[in-house]
């Protein structure tokens, strides 16, 4: 299927100028040729996400690792990494995964974790990429006031930038959508919308963001521009989750894969190909987990890889090579 992706990419995007995004400062980042300037504010329309020309659009990009102090992944929260991912991987979207309640996360060290998010967001704006501000939590409903304070600040700083997507709850555990997650989401969304009326907000779903069916059965209807999180890891999640997700789409909600991981330690992953075919057919955006060099199956780098970009193939794990192949050939509008 990758050959088909490449062929379609060249057929459709041969004339596009994604590589010609000029350098700019955040203060004057509005330019006519950046990727975000071309596509504008993202809008949920039915079960699709569309650009400013009302074209359904899907992105392929990279999620950073947990931002927590001394977990390792925080070393890659650098503007050089965002720029290299854009230039060398054709990444069109990145995700700052701000750890919340675990050791070294936001609740322990607000300034450092928030600054890491800002570094990635500012770099994405400068490079003309979309960026997800992710409240990377498994227990967000226990800290609703903290989430509200954080997202109010983010909305105040960045709500006027089309680049920004708010992800207000990474992966709820096995808890009630209607009784716990949805009320939490309504509280946080209300605070964001009082400041930023329009940027896309993505809401996590029960059971590690796999029960999109529960959100589809009781969606948020009192606010516009809301999508729902779907996560898959190909070692665990197969056709049954695609079937569930297809049914959620048919029931009218828009989905956003803010994380996916391959089987790991292998550049061949037929289940990843099946998932990418599904994302392609349904125009679903997806971000690969994760930009890190930790010795685990989902890291895109081998241990000790530079935190300043400039990586060659020898620096990438097999999972990293697979992710790069998918991301660099992804046809954004098709
Ligand atoms: Mg806005």
């Amino acid at each position: 299927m990758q050959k088909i992706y490449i062929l379609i990419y060249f057929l459709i995007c041969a004339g596009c100028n994604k590589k010609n995004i000029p350098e700019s400062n955040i203060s004057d980042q509005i330019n006519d040729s950046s990727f975000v300037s071309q596509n504008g504010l993202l809008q949920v329309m039915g079960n699709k996400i569309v650009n400013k020309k009302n074209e359904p659009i899907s992105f392929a990009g990279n999620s950073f690792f947990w931002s927590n102090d001394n977990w390792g992944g925080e070393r890659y929260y650098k503007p050089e990494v965002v720029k290299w991912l854009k230039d060398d991987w054709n990444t069109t979207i990145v995700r700052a995964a701000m750890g919340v309640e675990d050791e070294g996360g936001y609740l322990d060290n607000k300034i450092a974790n928030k600054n890491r998010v800002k570094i990635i967001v500012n770099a994405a704006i400068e490079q003309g990429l979309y960026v997800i501000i992710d409240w990377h939590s498994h227990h967000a409903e226990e800290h609703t006031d903290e989430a509200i304070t954080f997202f109010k600040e983010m909305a105040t700083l960045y709500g006027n930038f089309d680049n920004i997507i708010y992800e207000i709850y990474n992966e709820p555990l096995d808890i009630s959508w209607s009784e716990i997650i949805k009320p939490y989401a309504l509280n946080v969304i209300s605070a964001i919308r009082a400041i930023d009326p329009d940027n896309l907000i993505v809401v996590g779903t029960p059971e590690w963001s796999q029960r999109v069916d529960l959100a589809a059965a009781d969606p948020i209807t009192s606010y516009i521009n809301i999508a729902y999180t779907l996560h898959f890891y190909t070692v665990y999640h197969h056709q049954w989750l695609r079937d569930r997700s297809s049914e959620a789409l048919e029931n009218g909600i828009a989905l956003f894969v803010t994380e996916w991981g391959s089987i790991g330690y292998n550049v061949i992953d037929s289940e990843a190909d099946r998932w990418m075919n599904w994302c392609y057919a349904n125009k679903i955006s997806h971000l690969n987990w994760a930009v890190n060099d930790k010795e685990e199956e989902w890291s895109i780098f081998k241990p000790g890889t530079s935190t300043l970009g400039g990586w060659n193939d020898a620096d990438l794990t097999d999972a990293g090579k697979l992710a790069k192949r998918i991301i660099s050939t992804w046809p954004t509008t098709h």
Side-chain angles (χ1 to χ4, degrees):
M1 273 313 295
Q2 293 307 320
K3 287 179 182 169
I4 295 173
Y5 291 152
I6 293 166
L7 178 63
I8 293 169
Y9 179 81
F10 282 113
L11 285 173
I12 296 176
C13 292
C16 72
N17 59 351
K18 277 172 33 172
K19 287 179 182 285
N20 295 331
I21 297 168
E23 299 291 330
S24 61
N25 297 319
I26 187 170
S27 57
D28 61 1
Q29 64 84 38
I30 306 297
N31 63 65
D32 290 337
S33 59
S34 88
F35 184 73
V36 169
S37 292
Q38 289 173 25
N39 287 290
L41 188 76
L42 301 175
Q43 305 263 18
V44 171
M45 186 174 289
N47 65 3
K48 296 284 189 293
I49 291 169
V50 303
N51 65 11
K52 67 182 180 184
K53 298 175 211 162
N54 287 337
E55 299 165 328
I57 189 165
S58 71
F59 307 106
N62 303 82
S63 176
F64 283 77
F65 192 73
W66 298 75
S67 67
N68 303 47
D69 298 354
N70 303 316
W71 283 28
E74 79 280 8
R75 294 174 297 125
Y76 289 95
Y77 278 68
K78 293 190 175 145
E80 293 88 347
V81 172
V82 174
K83 179 169 170 40
W84 186 262
L85 288 170
K86 184 202 77 173
D87 290 344
D88 194 53
W89 289 48
N90 287 331
T91 288
T92 52
I93 185 167
V94 290
R95 176 183 190 237
M98 192 184 73
V100 177
E101 66 269 0
D102 294 280
E103 187 177 355
Y106 177 76
L107 297 182
D108 270 355
N109 189 346
K110 291 183 180 172
I111 291 174
N113 282 276
K114 195 160 56 181
N115 279 344
R116 290 177 192 126
V117 171
K118 289 178 182 176
I119 285 167
I120 298 306
V121 172
N122 290 342
I125 291 170
E126 185 165 339
Q127 298 299 327
L129 305 181
Y130 289 96
V131 56
I132 297 175
I133 300 174
D134 163 33
W135 188 255
H136 203 72
S137 172
H138 294 301
H139 304 278
E141 72 281 357
E142 296 173 10
H143 309 285
T144 305
D145 290 346
E146 295 281 9
I148 287 173
T149 300
F150 172 78
F151 281 108
K152 282 169 78 172
E153 181 179 345
M154 293 298 112
T156 302
L157 284 172
Y158 299 119
N160 289 329
F161 290 93
D162 291 346
N163 313 66
I164 306 303
I165 298 165
Y166 308 98
E167 183 177 14
I168 63 174
Y169 197 157
N170 167 48
E171 287 185 354
L173 302 184
D174 185 8
I175 58 174
S176 167
W177 164 258
S178 294
E179 301 300 324
I180 300 175
I181 303 168
K182 186 178 178 183
Y184 161 86
L186 289 171
N187 278 327
V188 178
I189 293 168
S190 170
I192 293 173
R193 285 290 179 253
I195 300 165
D196 176 2
D198 51 10
N199 282 56
L200 181 63
I201 299 174
V202 187
V203 182
T205 55
E207 297 177 28
W208 296 269
S209 287
Q210 271 117 51
R211 294 304 302 271
V212 290
D213 54 322
L214 299 177
D218 181 18
I220 292 166
T221 56
S222 46
Y223 295 95
I224 62 159
N225 225 12
I226 308 296
Y228 300 87
T229 309
L230 169 65
H231 287 175
F232 63 84
Y233 284 79
T234 64
V235 67
Y236 306 121
H237 305 122
H238 305 143
Q239 188 61 42
W240 59 269
L241 186 55
R242 288 189 290 277
D243 290 344
R244 178 190 288 171
S245 304
S246 294
E247 195 172 323
L249 290 169
E250 285 161 20
N251 286 332
I253 64 171
L255 300 178
F256 211 111
V257 176
T258 59
E259 267 181 39
W260 72 273
S262 61
I263 197 167
Y265 303 125
N266 203 329
V267 75
I268 304 295
D269 184 344
S270 56
E271 197 64 39
D273 290 342
R274 283 191 275 276
W275 270 110
M276 289 305 140
N277 292 341
W278 182 86
C279 288
Y280 178 84
N282 292 291
K283 297 181 167 63
I284 305 288
S285 296
H286 51 85
L287 292 94
N288 179 255
W289 181 268
V291 178
N292 199 11
D293 68 346
K294 181 181 175 185
E295 285 195 70
E296 67 176 13
E297 56 266 55
W298 303 299
S299 295
I300 62 173
F301 303 131
K302 294 176 182 171
T305 294
S306 168
T307 60
L308 294 170
W311 321 299
N312 56 43
D313 275 1
D315 295 319
L316 303 181
T317 60
D318 280 353
K321 289 174 187 166
L322 171 67
K324 183 179 180 184
R325 175 159 58 85
I326 289 169
I327 293 167
S328 62
T329 59
W330 189 258
T332 300
T333 53
H334 58 271

